[in-house]
Amino acid sequence: MAESRYALLVVDSATALYRTDYSGRGELASRQQHLAQFLRQLQKIADQFGVAVVCTNQVVAQVDGMAGFNPDPKKPIGGNIMAHA
C-alpha cells in the first residue's frame, strides 16, 4: 500500500465470517475480542496511510416480545464492539 496512493478501503459485511467461524454464546468472548482486533487493525491502516475505511455490516431482526413496541426491529450484528467502533 505504501507504493501507491489509495483513498478508500471497503470491508463488505465485516461480521459475516465471524458469524460462521464462531458459533454460540460459548465463543462470544473470543469472537468479540478478535473482531475488536480486526477493527483496530483497520484503524491503524486508516491512520498510517490516510485512507477512509467503510465497513458494511449485517443486521438481525429482534423477534422477542418487545419487537411490537419498536417500529424498526432490526439491530446490527457485532454488539458493543461494532456499535462503538
Side-chain angles (χ1 to χ4, degrees):
M1 272 179 85
E3 295 176 14
S4 300
R5 176 71 176 120
Y6 294 92
L8 178 65
L9 173 62
V10 178
V11 179
D12 187 20
S13 193
T15 57
L17 294 177
Y18 292 100
R19 294 186 73 196
T20 57
D21 290 347
Y22 296 90
S23 60
R25 290 203 179 271
E27 296 183 315
L28 180 62
S30 59
R31 178 184 72 191
Q32 295 299 88
Q33 183 180 28
H34 196 274
L35 181 59
Q37 291 171 351
F38 172 67
L39 294 172
R40 274 196 302 275
Q41 287 296 326
L42 289 177
Q43 181 66 53
K44 286 180 184 179
I45 290 171
D47 292 341
Q48 183 177 359
F49 296 103
V51 299
V53 177
V54 176
C55 292
T56 66
N57 195 15
Q58 296 178 330
V59 295
V60 65
Q62 184 174 344
V63 293
D64 62 6
M66 298 303 287
F69 299 108
N70 187 356
D72 186 10
K74 296 180 294 296
K75 65 178 186 176
I77 298 295
N80 289 333
I81 299 297
M82 287 299 290
H84 299 287

